[in-house]
Amino acid sequence: MNSETFIYLLWIGLAIALIVAAITDLKSRKISNRLNLVIAMGAPIFWIASDMAAWPDMAIQIGLAAIIFTIFTGLFAIGAMGGGDVKLLTALALWFDWLTFIELLVVMSIAGGVLTLLMMISKKIRKKDAPIKVPYGVAIAFSGLWVIWDIMINLSQTIF
């Protein structure tokens, strides 16, 4: 198996993990720490398979993850985001270069807004008074899958 095929399989593994994150967040409004750890631990394997240099490439990925963790921990502190969501975004920051990660954040914001709107409509239709608990992991997973799809399309042109 060549390195391009292995990288392709790593992206597929990440996509599967994101689907699992979305499903579990929908069902229980929680994203497993174990799942987030698996996603984060897959990144160094991806870095090595991609021939990333320890300096500066791997260091930049770790720095990006630290920045994302800091920003989104602030959102967690004010109740705007769940802890599992923060950890999932941090783990994903280890996988994508900063420009691709910004694309992920934009898609995530749009998907999260649509998801919130749909939940508000559902609440009105059902005439419930309970506050809405948006499973934001769904929006995060959707945006990750969106970006992975784009990457895999480009990668498949190289492999096949």
Side-chain angles (χ1 to χ4, degrees), residues 93-110:
L94 295 168
W95 282 82
F96 302 106
D97 64 73
W98 68 272
L99 197 54
T100 304
F101 197 77
I102 289 172
E103 178 186 349
L104 183 144
L105 292 175
V106 169
V107 173
M108 177 194 78
S109 298
I110 294 167

PDB file of all heavy atoms in Angstrom, residues 93-110:
ATOM      1  N   ALA A  93      -8.651  20.330  14.623  1.00  0.00           N
ATOM      2  CA  ALA A  93      -7.630  21.326  14.294  1.00  0.00           C
ATOM      3  C   ALA A  93      -6.264  20.681  14.084  1.00  0.00           C
ATOM      4  O   ALA A  93      -5.410  21.242  13.398  1.00  0.00           O
ATOM      5  CB  ALA A  93      -7.558  22.391  15.389  1.00  0.00           C
ATOM      6  N   LEU A  94      -6.067  19.504  14.646  1.00  0.00           N
ATOM      7  CA  LEU A  94      -4.811  18.788  14.441  1.00  0.00           C
ATOM      8  C   LEU A  94      -4.699  18.200  13.031  1.00  0.00           C
ATOM      9  O   LEU A  94      -3.604  17.903  12.563  1.00  0.00           O
ATOM     10  CB  LEU A  94      -4.666  17.671  15.484  1.00  0.00           C
ATOM     11  CG  LEU A  94      -4.535  18.117  16.929  1.00  0.00           C
ATOM     12  CD1 LEU A  94      -4.696  16.930  17.873  1.00  0.00           C
ATOM     13  CD2 LEU A  94      -3.198  18.820  17.152  1.00  0.00           C
ATOM     14  N   TRP A  95      -5.813  18.043  12.361  1.00  0.00           N
ATOM     15  CA  TRP A  95      -5.844  17.392  11.047  1.00  0.00           C
ATOM     16  C   TRP A  95      -5.730  18.354   9.872  1.00  0.00           C
ATOM     17  O   TRP A  95      -5.250  17.975   8.808  1.00  0.00           O
ATOM     18  CB  TRP A  95      -7.156  16.623  10.891  1.00  0.00           C
ATOM     19  CG  TRP A  95      -7.177  15.318  11.610  1.00  0.00           C
ATOM     20  CD1 TRP A  95      -7.435  15.116  12.942  1.00  0.00           C
ATOM     21  CD2 TRP A  95      -6.954  14.024  11.047  1.00  0.00           C
ATOM     22  NE1 TRP A  95      -7.380  13.785  13.226  1.00  0.00           N
ATOM     23  CE2 TRP A  95      -7.096  13.085  12.079  1.00  0.00           C
ATOM     24  CE3 TRP A  95      -6.662  13.571   9.761  1.00  0.00           C
ATOM     25  CZ2 TRP A  95      -6.940  11.721  11.873  1.00  0.00           C
ATOM     26  CZ3 TRP A  95      -6.511  12.222   9.546  1.00  0.00           C
ATOM     27  CH2 TRP A  95      -6.646  11.305  10.604  1.00  0.00           C
ATOM     28  N   PHE A  96      -6.222  19.577  10.008  1.00  0.00           N
ATOM     29  CA  PHE A  96      -6.358  20.475   8.861  1.00  0.00           C
ATOM     30  C   PHE A  96      -5.418  21.667   8.978  1.00  0.00           C
ATOM     31  O   PHE A  96      -5.211  22.196  10.078  1.00  0.00           O
ATOM     32  CB  PHE A  96      -7.795  20.993   8.759  1.00  0.00           C
ATOM     33  CG  PHE A  96      -8.823  19.900   8.638  1.00  0.00           C
ATOM     34  CD1 PHE A  96      -9.645  19.579   9.704  1.00  0.00           C
ATOM     35  CD2 PHE A  96      -8.960  19.184   7.464  1.00  0.00           C
ATOM     36  CE1 PHE A  96     -10.590  18.574   9.604  1.00  0.00           C
ATOM     37  CE2 PHE A  96      -9.895  18.172   7.348  1.00  0.00           C
ATOM     38  CZ  PHE A  96     -10.712  17.861   8.415  1.00  0.00           C
ATOM     39  N   ASP A  97      -4.890  22.122   7.831  1.00  0.00           N
ATOM     40  CA  ASP A  97      -4.095  23.346   7.861  1.00  0.00           C
ATOM     41  C   ASP A  97      -5.020  24.506   8.229  1.00  0.00           C
ATOM     42  O   ASP A  97      -6.241  24.386   8.159  1.00  0.00           O
ATOM     43  CB  ASP A  97      -3.401  23.583   6.512  1.00  0.00           C
ATOM     44  CG  ASP A  97      -4.369  23.829   5.371  1.00  0.00           C
ATOM     45  OD1 ASP A  97      -4.964  24.925   5.330  1.00  0.00           O
ATOM     46  OD2 ASP A  97      -4.551  22.926   4.530  1.00  0.00           O
ATOM     47  N   TRP A  98      -4.449  25.610   8.637  1.00  0.00           N
ATOM     48  CA  TRP A  98      -5.247  26.696   9.206  1.00  0.00           C
ATOM     49  C   TRP A  98      -6.266  27.253   8.219  1.00  0.00           C
ATOM     50  O   TRP A  98      -7.380  27.592   8.602  1.00  0.00           O
ATOM     51  CB  TRP A  98      -4.343  27.817   9.755  1.00  0.00           C
ATOM     52  CG  TRP A  98      -3.598  28.586   8.706  1.00  0.00           C
ATOM     53  CD1 TRP A  98      -2.380  28.288   8.182  1.00  0.00           C
ATOM     54  CD2 TRP A  98      -4.050  29.769   8.044  1.00  0.00           C
ATOM     55  NE1 TRP A  98      -2.047  29.210   7.229  1.00  0.00           N
ATOM     56  CE2 TRP A  98      -3.047  30.135   7.129  1.00  0.00           C
ATOM     57  CE3 TRP A  98      -5.196  30.544   8.135  1.00  0.00           C
ATOM     58  CZ2 TRP A  98      -3.155  31.252   6.303  1.00  0.00           C
ATOM     59  CZ3 TRP A  98      -5.304  31.659   7.311  1.00  0.00           C
ATOM     60  CH2 TRP A  98      -4.288  31.993   6.413  1.00  0.00           C
ATOM     61  N   LEU A  99      -5.931  27.325   6.938  1.00  0.00           N
ATOM     62  CA  LEU A  99      -6.869  27.869   5.964  1.00  0.00           C
ATOM     63  C   LEU A  99      -8.060  26.925   5.754  1.00  0.00           C
ATOM     64  O   LEU A  99      -9.213  27.368   5.703  1.00  0.00           O
ATOM     65  CB  LEU A  99      -6.145  28.122   4.638  1.00  0.00           C
ATOM     66  CG  LEU A  99      -6.827  29.046   3.647  1.00  0.00           C
ATOM     67  CD1 LEU A  99      -7.171  30.387   4.273  1.00  0.00           C
ATOM     68  CD2 LEU A  99      -5.943  29.240   2.427  1.00  0.00           C
ATOM     69  N   THR A 100      -7.785  25.640   5.686  1.00  0.00           N
ATOM     70  CA  THR A 100      -8.861  24.650   5.569  1.00  0.00           C
ATOM     71  C   THR A 100      -9.709  24.651   6.827  1.00  0.00           C
ATOM     72  O   THR A 100     -10.931  24.498   6.772  1.00  0.00           O
ATOM     73  CB  THR A 100      -8.275  23.247   5.305  1.00  0.00           C
ATOM     74  OG1 THR A 100      -7.459  23.306   4.132  1.00  0.00           O
ATOM     75  CG2 THR A 100      -9.350  22.211   5.113  1.00  0.00           C
ATOM     76  N   PHE A 101      -9.068  24.858   7.977  1.00  0.00           N
ATOM     77  CA  PHE A 101      -9.823  24.889   9.229  1.00  0.00           C
ATOM     78  C   PHE A 101     -10.752  26.097   9.287  1.00  0.00           C
ATOM     79  O   PHE A 101     -11.862  25.999   9.818  1.00  0.00           O
ATOM     80  CB  PHE A 101      -8.887  24.852  10.447  1.00  0.00           C
ATOM     81  CG  PHE A 101      -9.615  24.484  11.697  1.00  0.00           C
ATOM     82  CD1 PHE A 101      -9.959  23.172  11.951  1.00  0.00           C
ATOM     83  CD2 PHE A 101     -10.002  25.451  12.608  1.00  0.00           C
ATOM     84  CE1 PHE A 101     -10.673  22.823  13.085  1.00  0.00           C
ATOM     85  CE2 PHE A 101     -10.704  25.113  13.757  1.00  0.00           C
ATOM     86  CZ  PHE A 101     -11.036  23.796  13.990  1.00  0.00           C
ATOM     87  N   ILE A 102     -10.332  27.207   8.726  1.00  0.00           N
ATOM     88  CA  ILE A 102     -11.219  28.371   8.661  1.00  0.00           C
ATOM     89  C   ILE A 102     -12.435  28.037   7.800  1.00  0.00           C
ATOM     90  O   ILE A 102     -13.577  28.380   8.147  1.00  0.00           O
ATOM     91  CB  ILE A 102     -10.475  29.618   8.143  1.00  0.00           C
ATOM     92  CG1 ILE A 102      -9.493  30.105   9.207  1.00  0.00           C
ATOM     93  CG2 ILE A 102     -11.451  30.730   7.748  1.00  0.00           C
ATOM     94  CD1 ILE A 102      -8.564  31.207   8.767  1.00  0.00           C
ATOM     95  N   GLU A 103     -12.218  27.333   6.681  1.00  0.00           N
ATOM     96  CA  GLU A 103     -13.343  26.887   5.851  1.00  0.00           C
ATOM     97  C   GLU A 103     -14.279  26.007   6.677  1.00  0.00           C
ATOM     98  O   GLU A 103     -15.501  26.159   6.618  1.00  0.00           O
ATOM     99  CB  GLU A 103     -12.832  26.108   4.637  1.00  0.00           C
ATOM    100  CG  GLU A 103     -13.932  25.570   3.748  1.00  0.00           C
ATOM    101  CD  GLU A 103     -13.424  24.688   2.624  1.00  0.00           C
ATOM    102  OE1 GLU A 103     -12.210  24.635   2.372  1.00  0.00           O
ATOM    103  OE2 GLU A 103     -14.272  24.033   1.991  1.00  0.00           O
ATOM    104  N   LEU A 104     -13.699  25.097   7.459  1.00  0.00           N
ATOM    105  CA  LEU A 104     -14.488  24.227   8.323  1.00  0.00           C
ATOM    106  C   LEU A 104     -15.334  25.060   9.294  1.00  0.00           C
ATOM    107  O   LEU A 104     -16.519  24.789   9.477  1.00  0.00           O
ATOM    108  CB  LEU A 104     -13.567  23.281   9.089  1.00  0.00           C
ATOM    109  CG  LEU A 104     -14.214  22.252  10.001  1.00  0.00           C
ATOM    110  CD1 LEU A 104     -13.412  20.950   9.961  1.00  0.00           C
ATOM    111  CD2 LEU A 104     -14.312  22.733  11.426  1.00  0.00           C
ATOM    112  N   LEU A 105     -14.738  26.079   9.887  1.00  0.00           N
ATOM    113  CA  LEU A 105     -15.472  26.923  10.837  1.00  0.00           C
ATOM    114  C   LEU A 105     -16.612  27.685  10.171  1.00  0.00           C
ATOM    115  O   LEU A 105     -17.692  27.840  10.761  1.00  0.00           O
ATOM    116  CB  LEU A 105     -14.518  27.900  11.532  1.00  0.00           C
ATOM    117  CG  LEU A 105     -13.505  27.287  12.497  1.00  0.00           C
ATOM    118  CD1 LEU A 105     -12.549  28.363  13.020  1.00  0.00           C
ATOM    119  CD2 LEU A 105     -14.192  26.573  13.649  1.00  0.00           C
ATOM    120  N   VAL A 106     -16.398  28.150   8.948  1.00  0.00           N
ATOM    121  CA  VAL A 106     -17.460  28.867   8.227  1.00  0.00           C
ATOM    122  C   VAL A 106     -18.618  27.918   7.923  1.00  0.00           C
ATOM    123  O   VAL A 106     -19.788  28.243   8.183  1.00  0.00           O
ATOM    124  CB  VAL A 106     -16.905  29.515   6.933  1.00  0.00           C
ATOM    125  CG1 VAL A 106     -18.030  30.033   6.050  1.00  0.00           C
ATOM    126  CG2 VAL A 106     -15.934  30.638   7.271  1.00  0.00           C
ATOM    127  N   VAL A 107     -18.294  26.735   7.393  1.00  0.00           N
ATOM    128  CA  VAL A 107     -19.341  25.754   7.097  1.00  0.00           C
ATOM    129  C   VAL A 107     -20.051  25.343   8.385  1.00  0.00           C
ATOM    130  O   VAL A 107     -21.278  25.209   8.422  1.00  0.00           O
ATOM    131  CB  VAL A 107     -18.756  24.526   6.353  1.00  0.00           C
ATOM    132  CG1 VAL A 107     -19.787  23.425   6.191  1.00  0.00           C
ATOM    133  CG2 VAL A 107     -18.211  24.938   4.995  1.00  0.00           C
ATOM    134  N   MET A 108     -19.286  25.166   9.471  1.00  0.00           N
ATOM    135  CA  MET A 108     -19.856  24.795  10.766  1.00  0.00           C
ATOM    136  C   MET A 108     -20.840  25.865  11.253  1.00  0.00           C
ATOM    137  O   MET A 108     -21.921  25.548  11.752  1.00  0.00           O
ATOM    138  CB  MET A 108     -18.744  24.609  11.806  1.00  0.00           C
ATOM    139  CG  MET A 108     -19.245  24.288  13.203  1.00  0.00           C
ATOM    140  SD  MET A 108     -17.947  24.465  14.447  1.00  0.00           S
ATOM    141  CE  MET A 108     -17.890  26.242  14.638  1.00  0.00           C
ATOM    142  N   SER A 109     -20.478  27.114  11.101  1.00  0.00           N
ATOM    143  CA  SER A 109     -21.350  28.208  11.546  1.00  0.00           C
ATOM    144  C   SER A 109     -22.664  28.222  10.776  1.00  0.00           C
ATOM    145  O   SER A 109     -23.743  28.390  11.359  1.00  0.00           O
ATOM    146  CB  SER A 109     -20.642  29.556  11.372  1.00  0.00           C
ATOM    147  OG  SER A 109     -19.485  29.600  12.159  1.00  0.00           O
ATOM    148  N   ILE A 110     -22.577  28.038   9.471  1.00  0.00           N
ATOM    149  CA  ILE A 110     -23.792  28.012   8.645  1.00  0.00           C
ATOM    150  C   ILE A 110     -24.644  26.796   9.012  1.00  0.00           C
ATOM    151  O   ILE A 110     -25.858  26.915   9.227  1.00  0.00           O
ATOM    152  CB  ILE A 110     -23.432  28.017   7.147  1.00  0.00           C
ATOM    153  CG1 ILE A 110     -22.760  29.345   6.781  1.00  0.00           C
ATOM    154  CG2 ILE A 110     -24.672  27.761   6.282  1.00  0.00           C
ATOM    155  CD1 ILE A 110     -22.079  29.356   5.431  1.00  0.00           C
TER     156      ILE A 110
END
